[in-house]
Amino acid sequence: MCCALAALLGVLVHVSVTDQTVDQARDQALSRLADATEEYEAGDALPPGTGVDPEGLPPALRRLAVSGRRGTIVSTHRGHPTMWAAGPTTGRRALAVEIDYSQQARTITGLDNSILWSSGLAIGATVLVGVFAVTRVTRRLHATARVARRISTGDLDARVDDPLTKDPSRPQDEVAAVAAALDTMASTLQSKLLSEQRFTADVAHELRTPLTGLHAAAELLPPGRPTELVRDRVAALRTLTEDLLEISRLDTRREKLDVGTEELGALARRVVRASGTDTEVRIVRGARVETDRRRLERVLGNLVANAHKHGDPPVVLTVDGPVVTVRDHGSGYPRYLVAHGPQRFRTEGGATGHGLGLTIAVGQAEVLCARLTFANAVDGGAIATLILPVAEER
């Protein structure tokens, strides 16, 4: 807008001054033409710069004069700008007056140069100021966007800390308002998540003591169907409590790895044997991975158990290099799980359970720096894919 305004003002000044200069020269030329006409009709000698059909008279102006009208025109004569004025005379000839237009032309040229220089300086200064101002704003916006991305990946300690938000006496712009809102949202979200994590951990810890006593009491019951039901429910409750404790530990993001190099195919076979399920193991391409064996076994064990619990046989565990897939042939994962991942204490379609097995698998995979994804096969069935980092060759 500033550049357009400078250009518009320059054009207006140029047009105004040029029109004024040309009008003054035209009036002077027409006045001298009137005097020359009177002298010519009186038979007096014509003054210098005046003549009948003089050399250099523009043809267009001569035709206008011969037709009986007066006019003026600016042209170049003998290498100099000249203002011509011509009018009719006897014998279909033209009486013309020429005035040196060099001074006026130099004035207009100087004005145009001044306009160009001043416009260039104004535009340059405006661009520099604009770039400086915009760069400051965009730099702050980029910083805010980076913090938002960090928060979206789970880093709830990230804050923008815009300087304008720390001094209430300074006026805040829109970027500062967005930064303050983002920091407030992150703090609120962090406090709520910490409260939920503490609640989950406290509940799980508090349940362990009565469950231990309940388990001991169940072992003292006489054999029979009621005793089996009590023991089964106590075992399920203990499993749920241990899962809650594991999730609370994963939520703190302070888990430490016990890294070692493992043969992935052999580890997969051990997991299937320990699960006691009828799971087919296919080794397409073996691989050695640097991982925490206990955590990896936990991830694969949960995937295999979930496939047998919520899917239909056959269940196939495939190892293809650092990629492990667990597939069943049931109705597939719910749409929410494929789109957003597993959510604790949520199941659909009449499925039983608490949705903690896959949640733990995802959490342990993150600790292992692996990627766990969920999808449904085109021909039916659920597919869980675990991509592990490959061990470096030494």
PDB file of all heavy atoms in Angstrom, residues 32 49 83 85 112 120 125 151 164 195 244 248 274 280 287 289 295 319 379:
ATOM      1  N   ARG A  32       2.178  35.345 -28.495  1.00  0.00           N
ATOM      2  CA  ARG A  32       3.114  35.813 -29.500  1.00  0.00           C
ATOM      3  C   ARG A  32       2.554  35.606 -30.907  1.00  0.00           C
ATOM      4  O   ARG A  32       2.812  36.407 -31.819  1.00  0.00           O
ATOM      5  CB  ARG A  32       4.446  35.109 -29.356  1.00  0.00           C
ATOM      6  CG  ARG A  32       5.209  35.519 -28.096  1.00  0.00           C
ATOM      7  CD  ARG A  32       6.564  34.872 -28.036  1.00  0.00           C
ATOM      8  NE  ARG A  32       7.381  35.248 -29.212  1.00  0.00           N
ATOM      9  CZ  ARG A  32       8.620  34.811 -29.431  1.00  0.00           C
ATOM     10  NH1 ARG A  32       9.184  33.994 -28.543  1.00  0.00           N
ATOM     11  NH2 ARG A  32       9.289  35.173 -30.504  1.00  0.00           N
ATOM     12  N   GLY A  49      11.856  34.304 -34.756  1.00  0.00           N
ATOM     13  CA  GLY A  49      11.124  33.123 -34.315  1.00  0.00           C
ATOM     14  C   GLY A  49       9.735  33.046 -34.901  1.00  0.00           C
ATOM     15  O   GLY A  49       8.935  32.203 -34.462  1.00  0.00           O
ATOM     16  N   MET A  83       8.209  24.723 -28.512  1.00  0.00           N
ATOM     17  CA  MET A  83       6.762  24.886 -28.460  1.00  0.00           C
ATOM     18  C   MET A  83       6.355  25.683 -29.707  1.00  0.00           C
ATOM     19  O   MET A  83       6.790  26.813 -29.910  1.00  0.00           O
ATOM     20  CB  MET A  83       6.343  25.633 -27.201  1.00  0.00           C
ATOM     21  CG  MET A  83       4.876  26.075 -27.187  1.00  0.00           C
ATOM     22  SD  MET A  83       3.697  24.691 -27.174  1.00  0.00           S
ATOM     23  CE  MET A  83       3.824  24.188 -25.469  1.00  0.00           C
ATOM     24  N   ALA A  85       3.345  27.370 -32.168  1.00  0.00           N
ATOM     25  CA  ALA A  85       1.964  27.878 -32.249  1.00  0.00           C
ATOM     26  C   ALA A  85       1.737  28.339 -33.679  1.00  0.00           C
ATOM     27  O   ALA A  85       2.580  29.049 -34.253  1.00  0.00           O
ATOM     28  CB  ALA A  85       1.747  29.023 -31.268  1.00  0.00           C
ATOM     29  N   ASP A 112      10.860  14.832 -12.458  1.00  0.00           N
ATOM     30  CA  ASP A 112      10.666  13.374 -12.553  1.00  0.00           C
ATOM     31  C   ASP A 112      11.779  12.618 -11.834  1.00  0.00           C
ATOM     32  O   ASP A 112      11.528  11.622 -11.136  1.00  0.00           O
ATOM     33  CB  ASP A 112      10.617  12.953 -14.027  1.00  0.00           C
ATOM     34  CG  ASP A 112       9.352  13.433 -14.722  1.00  0.00           C
ATOM     35  OD1 ASP A 112       8.394  13.806 -14.009  1.00  0.00           O
ATOM     36  OD2 ASP A 112       9.327  13.453 -15.961  1.00  0.00           O
ATOM     37  N   GLY A 120      11.794   6.059  -4.517  1.00  0.00           N
ATOM     38  CA  GLY A 120      12.643   4.911  -4.242  1.00  0.00           C
ATOM     39  C   GLY A 120      13.107   4.864  -2.796  1.00  0.00           C
ATOM     40  O   GLY A 120      13.096   3.794  -2.160  1.00  0.00           O
ATOM     41  N   ALA A 125      12.733   2.536   2.458  1.00  0.00           N
ATOM     42  CA  ALA A 125      12.581   2.657   3.911  1.00  0.00           C
ATOM     43  C   ALA A 125      11.350   1.903   4.394  1.00  0.00           C
ATOM     44  O   ALA A 125      11.383   1.216   5.430  1.00  0.00           O
ATOM     45  CB  ALA A 125      12.487   4.131   4.294  1.00  0.00           C
ATOM     46  N   ILE A 151       3.887 -29.773  22.266  1.00  0.00           N
ATOM     47  CA  ILE A 151       2.792 -30.155  23.162  1.00  0.00           C
ATOM     48  C   ILE A 151       1.989 -31.299  22.554  1.00  0.00           C
ATOM     49  O   ILE A 151       1.588 -32.239  23.253  1.00  0.00           O
ATOM     50  CB  ILE A 151       1.901 -28.946  23.462  1.00  0.00           C
ATOM     51  CG1 ILE A 151       2.678 -27.904  24.283  1.00  0.00           C
ATOM     52  CG2 ILE A 151       0.640 -29.360  24.211  1.00  0.00           C
ATOM     53  CD1 ILE A 151       1.928 -26.605  24.484  1.00  0.00           C
ATOM     54  N   LEU A 164       6.199 -10.415  25.959  1.00  0.00           N
ATOM     55  CA  LEU A 164       5.099  -9.479  26.194  1.00  0.00           C
ATOM     56  C   LEU A 164       4.116 -10.009  27.234  1.00  0.00           C
ATOM     57  O   LEU A 164       3.391  -9.222  27.852  1.00  0.00           O
ATOM     58  CB  LEU A 164       4.365  -9.188  24.882  1.00  0.00           C
ATOM     59  CG  LEU A 164       5.126  -8.361  23.837  1.00  0.00           C
ATOM     60  CD1 LEU A 164       4.270  -8.139  22.606  1.00  0.00           C
ATOM     61  CD2 LEU A 164       5.558  -7.031  24.427  1.00  0.00           C
ATOM     62  N   SER A 195      -2.878 -34.970  37.695  1.00  0.00           N
ATOM     63  CA  SER A 195      -3.861 -35.380  38.699  1.00  0.00           C
ATOM     64  C   SER A 195      -4.414 -36.764  38.377  1.00  0.00           C
ATOM     65  O   SER A 195      -4.548 -37.616  39.272  1.00  0.00           O
ATOM     66  CB  SER A 195      -5.001 -34.357  38.757  1.00  0.00           C
ATOM     67  OG  SER A 195      -4.521 -33.084  39.150  1.00  0.00           O
ATOM     68  N   LEU A 244      -2.785 -51.148  35.714  1.00  0.00           N
ATOM     69  CA  LEU A 244      -2.899 -49.739  36.092  1.00  0.00           C
ATOM     70  C   LEU A 244      -1.576 -49.196  36.616  1.00  0.00           C
ATOM     71  O   LEU A 244      -1.182 -48.065  36.312  1.00  0.00           O
ATOM     72  CB  LEU A 244      -3.996 -49.561  37.143  1.00  0.00           C
ATOM     73  CG  LEU A 244      -5.439 -49.732  36.660  1.00  0.00           C
ATOM     74  CD1 LEU A 244      -6.401 -49.662  37.833  1.00  0.00           C
ATOM     75  CD2 LEU A 244      -5.781 -48.658  35.635  1.00  0.00           C
ATOM     76  N   SER A 248       0.582 -46.184  34.905  1.00  0.00           N
ATOM     77  CA  SER A 248       0.996 -44.999  35.669  1.00  0.00           C
ATOM     78  C   SER A 248       2.496 -44.778  35.554  1.00  0.00           C
ATOM     79  O   SER A 248       2.970 -43.637  35.483  1.00  0.00           O
ATOM     80  CB  SER A 248       0.582 -45.147  37.134  1.00  0.00           C
ATOM     81  OG  SER A 248       1.307 -46.192  37.766  1.00  0.00           O
ATOM     82  N   ALA A 274       5.242 -68.807  25.506  1.00  0.00           N
ATOM     83  CA  ALA A 274       4.823 -68.358  26.834  1.00  0.00           C
ATOM     84  C   ALA A 274       3.344 -68.003  26.882  1.00  0.00           C
ATOM     85  O   ALA A 274       2.712 -68.128  27.935  1.00  0.00           O
ATOM     86  CB  ALA A 274       5.647 -67.135  27.255  1.00  0.00           C
ATOM     87  N   GLU A 280       0.560 -69.020  14.900  1.00  0.00           N
ATOM     88  CA  GLU A 280       1.554 -69.395  13.898  1.00  0.00           C
ATOM     89  C   GLU A 280       2.626 -68.303  13.819  1.00  0.00           C
ATOM     90  O   GLU A 280       2.324 -67.108  13.779  1.00  0.00           O
ATOM     91  CB  GLU A 280       0.890 -69.542  12.531  1.00  0.00           C
ATOM     92  CG  GLU A 280       1.864 -69.921  11.421  1.00  0.00           C
ATOM     93  CD  GLU A 280       1.197 -69.972  10.052  1.00  0.00           C
ATOM     94  OE1 GLU A 280      -0.047 -69.834   9.999  1.00  0.00           O
ATOM     95  OE2 GLU A 280       1.927 -70.138   9.054  1.00  0.00           O
ATOM     96  N   ALA A 287      16.247 -60.676  11.862  1.00  0.00           N
ATOM     97  CA  ALA A 287      16.943 -59.417  12.143  1.00  0.00           C
ATOM     98  C   ALA A 287      17.375 -59.397  13.599  1.00  0.00           C
ATOM     99  O   ALA A 287      16.748 -60.015  14.462  1.00  0.00           O
ATOM    100  CB  ALA A 287      16.039 -58.221  11.842  1.00  0.00           C
ATOM    101  N   VAL A 289      17.982 -56.807  16.706  1.00  0.00           N
ATOM    102  CA  VAL A 289      17.547 -55.478  17.114  1.00  0.00           C
ATOM    103  C   VAL A 289      18.111 -55.147  18.483  1.00  0.00           C
ATOM    104  O   VAL A 289      18.337 -56.033  19.313  1.00  0.00           O
ATOM    105  CB  VAL A 289      15.998 -55.377  17.152  1.00  0.00           C
ATOM    106  CG1 VAL A 289      15.421 -55.536  15.761  1.00  0.00           C
ATOM    107  CG2 VAL A 289      15.409 -56.430  18.091  1.00  0.00           C
ATOM    108  N   ARG A 295      10.529 -55.590  27.796  1.00  0.00           N
ATOM    109  CA  ARG A 295       9.476 -54.703  27.289  1.00  0.00           C
ATOM    110  C   ARG A 295       8.959 -55.176  25.931  1.00  0.00           C
ATOM    111  O   ARG A 295       7.753 -55.119  25.658  1.00  0.00           O
ATOM    112  CB  ARG A 295       9.997 -53.267  27.194  1.00  0.00           C
ATOM    113  CG  ARG A 295      10.381 -52.676  28.543  1.00  0.00           C
ATOM    114  CD  ARG A 295      10.830 -51.228  28.393  1.00  0.00           C
ATOM    115  NE  ARG A 295      11.380 -50.733  29.651  1.00  0.00           N
ATOM    116  CZ  ARG A 295      10.648 -50.273  30.657  1.00  0.00           C
ATOM    117  NH1 ARG A 295       9.327 -50.250  30.555  1.00  0.00           N
ATOM    118  NH2 ARG A 295      11.211 -49.846  31.769  1.00  0.00           N
ATOM    119  N   VAL A 319       7.570 -62.099  11.276  1.00  0.00           N
ATOM    120  CA  VAL A 319       8.784 -61.303  11.458  1.00  0.00           C
ATOM    121  C   VAL A 319       9.412 -61.096  10.089  1.00  0.00           C
ATOM    122  O   VAL A 319       9.798 -62.052   9.416  1.00  0.00           O
ATOM    123  CB  VAL A 319       9.785 -62.004  12.410  1.00  0.00           C
ATOM    124  CG1 VAL A 319      11.070 -61.193  12.510  1.00  0.00           C
ATOM    125  CG2 VAL A 319       9.159 -62.209  13.782  1.00  0.00           C
ATOM    126  N   ASP A 379      -9.319 -58.027   3.386  1.00  0.00           N
ATOM    127  CA  ASP A 379     -10.134 -59.239   3.373  1.00  0.00           C
ATOM    128  C   ASP A 379     -10.594 -59.646   4.770  1.00  0.00           C
ATOM    129  O   ASP A 379     -11.024 -60.786   4.978  1.00  0.00           O
ATOM    130  CB  ASP A 379      -9.354 -60.387   2.727  1.00  0.00           C
ATOM    131  CG  ASP A 379      -8.002 -60.616   3.398  1.00  0.00           C
ATOM    132  OD1 ASP A 379      -7.584 -59.741   4.192  1.00  0.00           O
ATOM    133  OD2 ASP A 379      -7.380 -61.663   3.136  1.00  0.00           O
TER     134      ASP A 379
END
